[in-house]
Amino acid sequence: MEYRSIADVMNKDMIGAHVCIRGWIYRRSVVGGKAFIRVRDSSGVIQVVVDSGRLGEELVNELKNIGLEASVMACGTVREEPRAPGGYELEAESFKITGYSRDFPIKGGEGLEYLLDNRHLWIRSPRFAKILKVKHTVLEAGREYFTSNGWWEVNPPILTASACEGGATLFPVDYFGQKAYLSQSAQLYLEALIYVLEKVWSLTPSFRAERSRTRRHLAEYWHLEPEAAWYTMEDMMRVAEELVSHIVRRVLEERRGDLIDLGRNIERLKPAAEPPYPRIRYDEAVEILQKKGVNIKWGDDLGADEERILTMEFEKPFFVTHFPRQIKSFYMKVDPSNPNVVLGFDLLAPEGYGEIIGGGEREDNYDVLYQKIVEQGLNPDDYKWYLDLRRYGSVPHSGFGLGVERATMWIAGLDHIRDTLPFPRFRGRIYP
């Protein structure tokens, strides 16, 4: 017996065909001698009509009180029915309950904390299926871009002995009696690998002990990070806009229906599919914000509120470049033409979503890098191997990190980043 996906069944070519499906009960009702069972699988939802005249009153009576999320298998004839969800239904000729579900704990109207406690069940919602499919395409398109452009995928470690983005957000780990940390970024190890493969990238989990509980912060997220020898900041910005525009095009091509079902305004997303993206310097960003009445001065970092205001000025993602050196990490290369700023950039998504990429050119001079490590209160001994990269054939190089969940949140038009992961990790949330 061949089972078809529900999405395959729901089209005009299948009308009158005999098919079998299997899935879980999403909704159900009984009217007269008929049970109307909405069955979902990973591809969609279809209404299955179980008639007592054909399959018996005992089955229809059982379905009257069947629990939501019971697993079932059904075979029958596909009919066009405008009143049914999606416009099609299956007139059952056989219907079997394979796994009962008693008192499914999510019935509608529950609070957020309750739903998060029951995340393992909440993610069965068709909405989450659509979000996770969009994210799948984001990842697939990212891998496709790098592979087709001559980049090499590598596997940096997750356990590290030193910080990449500062000690305040490190997760410490006992590593056989030694102090270690969960990786904040693969960047430092990717820099080592450019001397082997020149253009490398990785997809790894990154961990930040963020105290903030905002709509865009996670303690664990997926990080898409390229690093390349001989690349300037401008070179890497071009990679960033090519990558993001490619991802957006692929999602629009393959997940348009899912985006629409999620309520995404497709027209507002379309401009992001066409590079190049606008560029402004940090100085210009501060001027824009000051003119809008924001209390900010040169040297202040751009937070979520400031980024949101800036994004309202643009219809597509845009770069902010040349940040003050004191607000960026020790590895950022100082601009030779202005020692007060670094050759760094952020890519901000429009519509209030803010930063999805941070990157720039890396400091390639041993003495300068050593001094910056000391200036930021770090122990040079922890970075001996990293400093070695500047002692033996150092080259100009650049890279960036794309937050996969932030990018997915923006592309799918979601209100909160927690919906981009099946089991989000943020302050106060480790279960389930």
Side-chain angles (χ1 to χ4, degrees):
M1 186 179 298
E2 180 183 355
Y3 288 90
R4 291 180 175 268
S5 71
I6 287 172
D8 287 344
V9 168
M10 297 180 70
N11 68 75
K12 287 187 178 294
D13 292 339
M14 297 301 295
I15 294 173
H18 183 273
V19 300
C20 295
I21 63 163
R22 52 192 172 189
W24 294 265
I25 294 179
Y26 181 58
R27 297 284 187 271
R28 49 102 176 96
S29 63
V30 175
V31 180
K34 291 184 178 181
F36 298 89
I37 310 298
R38 295 186 187 180
V39 177
R40 67 161 186 88
D41 67 4
S42 64
S43 69
V45 179
I46 192 170
Q47 179 168 281
V48 179
V49 181
V50 180
D51 192 330
S52 61
R54 170 174 286 181
L55 297 178
E57 292 184 7
E58 183 178 349
L59 175 60
V60 171
N61 287 334
E62 186 176 19
L63 292 174
K64 186 182 297 184
N65 299 307
I66 192 73
L68 297 180
E69 291 302 310
S71 54
V72 298
M73 298 185 293
C75 297
T77 303
V78 180
R79 305 291 186 199
E80 191 168 20
E81 175 49 73
R83 294 171 296 180
Y88 299 90
E89 66 182 17
L90 187 68
E91 186 177 322
E93 295 164 14
S94 66
F95 191 96
K96 180 182 179 181
I97 301 167
T98 57
Y100 285 86
S101 173
R102 304 296 184 189
D103 195 25
F104 189 69
I106 299 175
K107 299 176 176 62
E110 293 84 5
L112 177 59
E113 290 303 313
Y114 178 88
L115 291 171
L116 287 171
D117 285 342
N118 289 276
R119 185 72 165 199
H120 53 297
L121 301 176
W122 188 22
I123 56 174
R124 296 187 183 191
S125 162
R127 177 175 179 270
F128 281 111
K130 298 178 193 303
I131 293 171
L132 295 176
K133 288 176 182 179
V134 169
K135 186 177 181 182
H136 165 86
T137 301
V138 168
L139 292 169
E140 185 179 48
R143 177 170 279 109
E144 179 183 73
Y145 171 82
F146 286 118
T147 301
S148 63
N149 284 281
W151 296 70
W152 300 95
E153 183 174 6
V154 292
N155 307 110
I158 302 303
L159 291 168
T160 72
S162 52
C164 180
E165 297 296 335
T169 61
L170 282 169
F171 279 111
V173 177
D174 180 6
Y175 188 73
F176 302 105
Q178 299 182 57
K179 196 167 191 178
Y181 306 96
L182 296 178
S183 174
Q184 296 171 312
S185 166
Q187 178 201 316
L188 305 189
Y189 295 98
L190 293 177
E191 288 187 60
L193 288 162
I194 66 171
Y195 295 88
V196 186
L197 298 169
E198 296 193 29
K199 291 165 48 175
V200 298
W201 69 278
S202 67
L203 175 64
T204 63
S206 285
F207 302 85
R208 306 281 173 95
E210 297 280 4
R211 296 293 178 182
S212 304
R213 291 194 67 172
T214 73
R215 75 187 194 110
R216 64 178 200 163
H217 280 99
L218 291 165
E220 177 186 355
Y221 64 97
W222 285 87
H223 219 167
L224 187 62
E225 299 178 88
E227 199 78 25
W230 314 108
Y231 273 45
T232 65
M233 181 181 75
E234 285 294 331
D235 293 331
M236 197 54 70
M237 289 168 66
R238 186 182 68 253
V239 172
E241 65 189 1
E242 288 177 356
L243 168 68
V244 172
S245 60
H246 178 74
I247 289 172
V248 172
R249 285 195 299 273
R250 280 287 306 277
V251 173
L252 286 171
E253 290 168 3
E254 298 185 9
R255 298 288 168 231
R256 180 179 293 265
D258 291 327
L259 292 176
I260 292 172
D261 289 345
L262 289 168
R264 185 59 162 114
N265 185 325
I266 299 293
E267 294 304 313
R268 297 190 72 177
L269 186 59
K270 282 181 178 179
E274 299 299 331
Y277 295 159
R279 290 152 164 74
I280 62 171
R281 288 178 172 245
Y282 170 87
D283 299 12
E284 298 172 73
V286 169
E287 289 178 10
I288 292 171
L289 292 167
Q290 289 175 340
K291 287 178 181 178
K292 290 185 173 294
V294 177
N295 183 20
I296 187 173
K297 62 183 184 299
W298 197 96
D300 291 342
D301 203 356
L302 303 180
D305 292 338
E306 290 78 19
E307 289 183 357
R308 179 181 55 79
I309 294 169
L310 285 174
T311 66
M312 300 307 172
E313 301 293 304
F314 299 88
E315 293 184 349
K316 59 170 66 174
F318 63 99
F319 292 100
V320 180
T321 68
H322 299 86
F323 288 86
R325 61 182 295 175
Q326 68 266 27
I327 64 174
K328 288 299 181 181
S329 297
F330 67 91
Y331 51 74
M332 284 281 191
K333 187 176 181 66
V334 174
D335 185 350
S337 66
N338 182 356
N340 295 315
V341 301
V342 294
L343 298 176
F345 64 85
D346 287 349
L347 181 66
L348 276 59
E351 303 174 75
Y353 285 96
E355 181 193 348
I356 57 173
I357 282 179
E361 199 163 334
R362 317 310 190 189
E363 181 52 64
D364 53 81
N365 181 282
Y366 178 95
D367 293 330
V368 174
L369 181 60
Y370 185 96
Q371 186 59 38
K372 291 176 74 174
I373 289 173
V374 172
E375 285 176 359
Q376 295 202 13
L378 301 172
N379 184 356
D381 290 342
D382 292 338
Y383 296 91
K384 180 182 180 302
W385 70 269
Y386 185 63
L387 286 162
D388 277 351
L389 303 179
R390 277 69 178 171
R391 296 179 64 198
Y392 304 106
S394 184
V395 296
H397 60 287
S398 302
F400 65 77
L402 179 145
V404 172
E405 283 73 28
R406 283 194 182 182
T408 302
M409 178 186 172
W410 157 58
I411 291 171
L414 306 179
D415 293 329
H416 203 289
I417 199 167
R418 62 173 170 255
D419 291 342
T420 62
L421 282 164
F423 300 100
R425 297 292 183 247
F426 49 88
R427 186 179 179 186
R429 175 59 55 182
I430 193 65
Y431 176 92

